[in-house]
Amino acid sequence: MSKIDELLTTLDPITLQQMSSVKLMNRTDTKFVTNLQKLERLLEMAQQDYYVQDIDGGRNLEYDTTYFDTRQFDMYTTHQHGHTNRQKIRFRTYCVSGLQFMEVKTKNNHGRTKKKRIEVGDMDLGDETKRQFLGEHLRYDVDTLVPALNNHFSRITLVNKGKTERLTIDSSLRFNNLQSGEQLDMGPLVIIELKRDGLVFSPVLEMLRQLRIQPHGFSKYCMGSALTGQDHLPVNRFKRKLIEVNKLIK
């Protein structure tokens, strides 16, 4: 058992059913990037204030995600150019259950993120149900979409005991660029995302401050694409983040 898994056994569990009131489908997100060593310290500090999601005894669960984009990579480019009103489309598989969802994430000019999703059995965009869903929620033409990037990672989900926020902690992140064929293991990199409605009190923010873990934007789709051989994609706005991330994974 790893040190992380040992620490997870010290947190009180929360089930999926108990988490039903903490979906936060309309939320503000704040991301942080750190490493496994600091994650261990964070989990030690969080024991009294947070539950850990437990699914059939699993507390660090595997996820698999495939992102689609247009053939011109318009969704990537919109993000890279700094436009706040942007969208992403992905297929996410919960490996422990095998459930798969097609999701459209929309971030508006006020920093609010809305997610729409439906359960699916495959990634065939010729399916009429998927096309109708995308026609209602995605601004891009379905017929221009191609698979762009796959990632695989392990996720810990913490919920504060007031049940007003959710904290996802992703590690063991691996990218597979479906256009270039390049693969990349992100090693000790850890991505933390704090999800909450509005500006409710957050115990973990003080913990992160003490550990000197600063807010750090990290789009798995955009950073993964920039790191895995898409030479024709612009990376100007991501250069500083790419340098910081490379320091953490070496």
Side-chain angles (χ1 to χ4, degrees), residues 5-230:
D5 290 332
E6 287 180 12
L7 288 167
L8 291 177
T9 64
T10 66
L11 276 72
D12 293 331
I14 186 170
T15 66
L16 277 175
Q17 184 176 4
Q18 291 170 326
M19 284 182 59
S20 61
S21 62
V22 202
K23 287 182 179 177
L24 306 180
M25 301 298 275
N26 183 19
R27 69 198 190 208
T28 57
D29 302 343
T30 308
K31 292 183 180 178
F32 305 81
V33 177
T34 186
N35 57 33
L36 288 171
Q37 185 177 13
K38 285 194 175 181
L39 173 57
E40 291 176 4
R41 295 173 61 190
L42 179 64
L43 291 175
E44 290 172 349
M45 297 168 71
Q47 290 181 28
Q48 301 304 315
D49 295 295
Y50 286 84
Y51 300 108
V52 61
Q53 177 182 281
D54 185 298
I55 300 178
D56 297 328
R59 299 187 175 193
N60 194 6
L61 305 173
E62 291 186 55
Y63 288 61
D64 192 88
T65 308
T66 297
Y67 291 87
F68 279 61
D69 205 333
T70 67
R71 294 184 182 89
Q72 289 74 38
F73 296 92
D74 293 311
M75 296 181 217
Y76 171 93
T77 304
T78 297
H79 194 148
Q80 202 280 147
H81 287 331
H83 299 306
T84 52
N85 190 10
R86 55 183 184 253
Q87 290 189 304
K88 299 276 185 350
I89 171 178
R90 68 190 185 193
F91 288 83
R92 169 155 289 176
T93 302
Y94 298 81
C95 299
V96 67
S97 65
L99 289 175
Q100 184 180 57
F101 294 88
M102 181 174 70
E103 303 178 342
V104 173
K105 291 180 68 177
T106 302
K107 189 166 187 176
N108 66 24
N109 293 326
H110 303 290
R112 306 285 294 185
T113 299
K114 291 186 178 181
K115 182 170 71 174
K116 299 292 184 180
R117 72 178 189 175
I118 56 170
E119 185 175 348
V120 296
D122 55 46
M123 293 187 286
D124 178 14
L125 293 182
D127 176 75
E128 187 58 35
T129 300
K130 297 190 191 77
R131 294 178 70 88
Q132 182 177 346
F133 174 84
L134 293 176
E136 293 174 0
H137 301 293
L138 189 71
R139 296 193 293 265
Y140 300 91
D141 184 347
V142 179
D143 292 324
T144 68
L145 301 178
V146 295
L149 185 81
N150 172 265
N151 67 45
H152 194 95
F153 57 91
S154 297
R155 169 166 289 183
I156 299 163
T157 301
L158 303 184
V159 177
N160 71 325
K161 294 198 171 177
K163 296 184 180 179
T164 58
E165 67 179 17
R166 184 160 38 113
L167 193 71
T168 58
I169 303 170
D170 297 342
S171 62
S172 302
L173 178 61
R174 302 189 303 276
F175 291 118
N176 178 16
N177 194 307
L178 301 175
Q179 295 297 313
S180 72
E182 184 172 342
Q183 300 182 19
L184 181 64
D185 189 324
M186 300 302 287
L189 187 77
V190 173
I191 304 165
I192 299 171
E193 187 168 8
L194 174 62
K195 307 174 185 185
R196 54 182 175 155
D197 280 319
L199 299 176
V200 298
F201 172 72
S202 170
V204 80
L205 285 178
E206 175 59 22
M207 301 174 197
L208 293 167
R209 187 192 67 79
Q210 291 180 26
L211 293 171
R212 297 182 180 177
I213 299 174
Q214 303 296 325
H216 188 295
F218 190 102
S219 160
K220 292 188 185 71
Y221 172 56
C222 290
M223 296 300 286
S225 297
L227 285 162
T228 52
Q230 288 286 5

